């Protein structure tokens, strides 16, 4: 693979990170870009100034949504080191998503190097306030101008960076979730397990309708029987029962979340009984009525751990922990964030440490 070219802009002023960040609203100065053609494969890797794209109106992605993306985070640890959380797992998932929508895979080692080099260039944009991080958004889209339906011959891969705070405006306050019993997000053997824009388009109407009724997000049920719980708009879901923590098993229509995987590992480390299995909404309600639901929480890169305070299904509202964050949710949030910021031992080698090197920007 070629050496990454640098075309850096000269910063007149030191980077100033706004006091309140929210999620995905501001972007750093540079992006990584690379192109694919059938003749050359992936080529032209470059780190350059962030600029608007100029695309042909016939660009295939705009018509047929052939694209994939990832979301991962870089943190500044307590001692000023820069780390990226589980980039290998995200890169692997990007390639898995790509295969499903006929996008050529990327050499994982090269993409990791690109992530590291871009984050090094933009290290001044990594917030060091607790709960904040640099969100990394790699994405690929079919860039050939053509109106027939087929895989694009050309692609563009871009890595965009955005300093972020909490995903939900509620912060760590528990969210209200509506169990969606009308629309479906995905079906088994469809696109559900891929991080592809189409899945998010499919979720918008339900999410908007739920917002109109005062909910933050929806909990999707399976696409065939609408019986088993699957995932929340931007998170995987865990039900904390008295003797078992349950999360829906990956069946092809659920996103294999990296935070989901990390939480399962942490629970196992703590010797908590965690299972991945089918769990129906009726079972959740039955256990709730018996007083066996200790709490419900969601996991995701953007959301980290988010307590669910209320879950409503067909007009029946379940309230957990009196609308306060659950004990286990807080413990998991503290453990994950302690790993992110270098306060807890990284015993599973989830952090990729970025060597300090001075890049003049
Ligand atoms: C993430 O958690 O990284 C996600 O991808 C959610 C999102 C689409 C904002």
């Amino acid at each position: 693979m070629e050496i990454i070219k640098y075309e850096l802009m000269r910063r007149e002023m030191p980077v100033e990170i706004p006091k309140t960040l929210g999620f995905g609203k501001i972007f750093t100065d540079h992006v990584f870009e690379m192109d694919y053609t059938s003749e050359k494969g992936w080529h032209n890797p470059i780190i350059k100034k962030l600029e608007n794209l100029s695309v042909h109106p016939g660009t295939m992605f705009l018509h047929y949504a052939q694209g994939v993306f990832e979301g991962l985070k870089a943190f500044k640890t307590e001692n000023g080191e820069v780390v990226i959380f589980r980039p290998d797992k995200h890169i692997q998932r990007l390639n898995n998503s790509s295969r499903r929508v006929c996008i050529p895979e990327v050499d994982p080692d090269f993409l990791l190097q690109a992530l590291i080099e871009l984050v090094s260039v933009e290290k001044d944009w990594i917030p060091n306030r607790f709960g904040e991080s640099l969100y990394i958004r790699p994405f690929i889209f079919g860039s050939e101008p053509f109106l027939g339906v087929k895989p694009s011959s050309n692609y563009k891969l871009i890595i965009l960076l955005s300093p972020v705070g909490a995903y939900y405006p509620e912060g760590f306050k528990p969210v209200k979730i509506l169990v969606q019993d009308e629309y479906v997000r995905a079906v088994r053997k469809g696109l559900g397990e891929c991080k592809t824009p189409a899945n998010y388009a499919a979720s918008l109407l339900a999410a908007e309708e739920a917002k109109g009724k005062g909910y933050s997000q929806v909990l999707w049920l399976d696409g065939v029987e609408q019986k088993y719980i699957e995932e929340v708009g931007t998170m995987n879901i865990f039900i904390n029962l008295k003797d078992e923590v349950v999360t829906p098993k990956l069946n092809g229509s659920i996103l294999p979340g990296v935070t989901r995987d990390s939480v399962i590992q942490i629970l196992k480390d703590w010797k908590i009984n965690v299972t991945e299995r089918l769990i129906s909404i009726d079972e959740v309600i039955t256990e709730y009525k018996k007083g066996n639901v200790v709490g419900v929480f969601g996991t995701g890169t953007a959301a980290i751990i988010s307590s669910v305070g209320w879950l409503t299904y067909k007009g029946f509202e379940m309230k957990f922990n009196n609308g306060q964050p659950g004990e286990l949710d807080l413990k998991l949030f503290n453990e994950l964030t302690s790993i992110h910021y270098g306060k807890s031992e990284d015993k599973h080698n989830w952090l990729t440490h970025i060597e300090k090197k001075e890049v003049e920007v």
Side-chain angles (χ1 to χ4, degrees):
M1 192 70 209
E2 294 163 73
I3 302 243
I4 300 174
K5 198 168 140 195
Y6 281 67
E7 265 174 27
L8 304 186
M9 57 172 255
R10 193 152 280 283
R11 258 183 217 133
E12 303 301 336
M13 307 269 273
V15 170
E16 211 169 298
I17 303 177
K19 289 237 159 8
T20 36
L21 285 172
F23 183 86
K25 295 187 192 155
I26 62 165
F27 301 96
T28 71
D29 306 310
H30 297 91
V31 290
F32 170 87
E33 273 192 32
M34 145 165 111
D35 297 303
Y36 179 94
T37 58
S38 16
E39 303 78 45
K40 292 193 188 166
W42 286 109
H43 64 284
N44 270 350
I46 181 167
I47 292 179
K48 54 180 241 190
K49 185 170 172 236
L50 167 72
E51 278 171 330
N52 287 346
L53 293 174
S54 159
V55 291
H56 188 286
T59 296
M60 292 191 77
F61 171 75
L62 299 178
H63 300 268
Y64 307 123
Q66 192 199 9
V68 291
F69 70 95
E70 267 305 317
L72 62 163
K73 282 177 171 174
F75 300 87
K76 220 169 243 170
T77 65
E78 276 199 319
N79 56 14
E81 253 195 296
V82 173
V83 296
I84 307 182
F85 189 71
R86 306 194 75 180
D88 47 340
K89 194 97 180 142
H90 284 278
I91 291 171
Q92 191 185 43
R93 191 173 64 179
L94 184 78
N95 275 335
N96 291 345
S97 302
S98 287
R99 267 198 304 283
R100 180 61 178 83
V101 292
C102 299
I103 292 176
E105 290 175 46
V106 182
D107 173 6
D109 295 332
F110 184 76
L111 191 55
L112 178 61
Q113 184 193 334
L115 286 177
I116 291 175
E117 291 196 27
L118 180 64
V119 170
S120 301
V121 166
E122 299 292 63
K123 62 181 181 322
D124 292 351
W125 279 102
I126 309 177
N128 52 14
R129 295 175 298 230
F130 185 76
E132 297 181 344
S133 57
L134 186 66
Y135 187 77
I136 307 172
R137 170 56 63 86
F139 62 103
I140 308 176
F141 63 93
S143 54
E144 182 189 358
F146 180 63
L147 293 183
V149 177
K150 60 145 195 119
S152 174
S153 303
N154 309 334
Y155 298 88
K156 195 174 253 313
L157 181 155
I158 300 179
I159 307 175
L160 186 64
L161 302 178
S162 170
V164 297
Y167 183 73
Y168 293 111
E170 290 94 327
F172 201 72
K173 284 223 283 305
V175 289
K176 268 183 118 164
I177 304 279
L178 180 66
V179 182
Q180 176 51 245
D181 58 3
E182 191 181 350
Y183 311 106
V184 298
R185 170 186 173 270
V187 288
R188 283 194 287 283
K189 303 190 182 183
L191 293 178
E193 66 184 355
C194 303
K195 223 160 163 59
T196 185
N199 282 333
Y200 294 81
S203 75
L204 295 177
L205 181 60
E208 281 306 291
E209 289 184 3
K211 264 185 210 147
K213 294 177 189 155
Y215 298 92
S216 303
Q217 293 253 333
V218 300
L219 170 60
W220 294 103
L221 298 177
D222 76 273
V224 180
E225 296 174 83
Q226 290 190 265
K227 180 171 168 191
Y228 299 101
I229 64 170
E230 295 227 313
E231 65 177 78
V232 175
T234 56
M235 309 189 287
N236 292 111
I237 186 99
F238 286 73
I239 313 290
N240 182 7
L241 299 175
K242 269 193 177 144
D243 50 4
E244 178 193 20
V245 179
V246 188
T247 191
K249 74 169 181 193
L250 301 178
N251 57 2
S253 57
I254 296 174
L255 189 83
V258 176
T259 310
R260 172 188 182 279
D261 182 79
S262 311
V263 161
I264 291 174
Q265 185 58 57
I266 293 171
L267 291 173
K268 285 182 179 163
D269 292 348
W270 289 345
K271 307 265 184 289
I272 289 178
N273 179 24
V274 54
T275 50
E276 297 172 69
R277 64 169 173 89
L278 284 176
I279 175 162
S280 67
I281 187 65
D282 287 344
E283 181 181 343
V284 177
I285 292 173
T286 306
E287 293 304 317
Y288 177 80
K289 286 184 175 160
K290 287 199 261 175
N292 285 344
V293 183
V294 183
V296 174
F297 60 91
T299 63
T301 297
I304 312 179
I305 302 287
S306 176
S307 287
V308 176
W310 299 263
L311 199 55
T312 302
Y313 178 59
K314 293 189 193 286
F316 178 70
E317 185 183 80
M318 291 173 269
K319 187 174 179 182
F320 311 108
N321 290 304
N322 241 340
Q324 297 303 312
E327 208 179 299
L328 183 66
D329 323 2
L330 276 171
K331 209 172 152 208
L332 282 166
F333 178 81
N334 286 336
E335 178 62 9
L336 262 178
T337 46
S338 300
I339 297 171
H340 293 155
Y341 297 103
K343 290 191 207 170
S344 263
E345 188 199 349
D346 174 25
K347 57 178 168 213
H348 298 291
N349 286 323
W350 285 338
L351 303 182
T352 292
H353 294 252
I354 304 219
E355 274 174 45
K356 281 202 179 121
K357 72 170 179 194
E358 279 316 310
V359 188
E360 205 186 314
V361 184

